[in-house]
Amino acid sequence: MKTHGDGAAERLGAILREAHHRIEAAESGRISQADMAARLGVSQRAYVDYLHGRGPAGARVAFDILAMLGDDEAAALLRRWREGKIGNGKDRNGD
């Protein structure tokens, strides 16, 4: 069921998905959704909902996942967020 503000949740889901993939690349291995949820201190179901834009991830979750990235990676994601290049169909465009 869609609610007011779903666009923001979908955009946040897109940045969380991209961050998850970048963390996997940096660690040279796959990270399951369950493992990432545990790292973030949330349930797997909540994390999957965040990834799919079905629930508002709290600021702590967003900051925690960004903190797992290197400074340049986090800055690149935030730049793409600011420029509107995440969560609007342009998710796969690189930096």
Side-chain angles (χ1 to χ4, degrees):
M1 180 168 116
K2 296 271 185 183
T3 60
H4 179 70
D6 280 349
E10 289 171 3
R11 285 186 69 210
L12 185 54
I15 200 169
L16 292 175
R17 284 190 306 276
E18 186 167 337
H20 185 122
H21 294 304
R22 288 179 181 227
I23 293 164
E24 287 178 323
E27 294 184 7
S28 300
R30 186 178 182 294
I31 302 169
S32 71
Q33 292 172 342
D35 289 341
M36 186 61 76
R39 290 184 188 191
L40 295 169
V42 299
S43 71
Q44 181 179 355
R45 180 180 176 133
Y47 183 64
V48 170
D49 284 347
Y50 300 158
L51 292 176
H52 294 284
R54 291 191 299 252
R60 183 193 58 81
V61 170
F63 282 119
D64 283 350
I65 200 164
L66 288 172
M68 291 180 200
L69 296 169
D71 293 347
D72 291 340
E73 291 284 318
L77 277 178
L78 291 172
R79 186 171 25 288
R80 291 188 60 218
W81 174 269
R82 182 181 59 231
E83 294 169 355
K85 293 181 180 175
I86 292 180
N88 63 3
K90 299 180 182 178
D91 298 3
R92 301 274 185 238
N93 283 351
D95 301 322

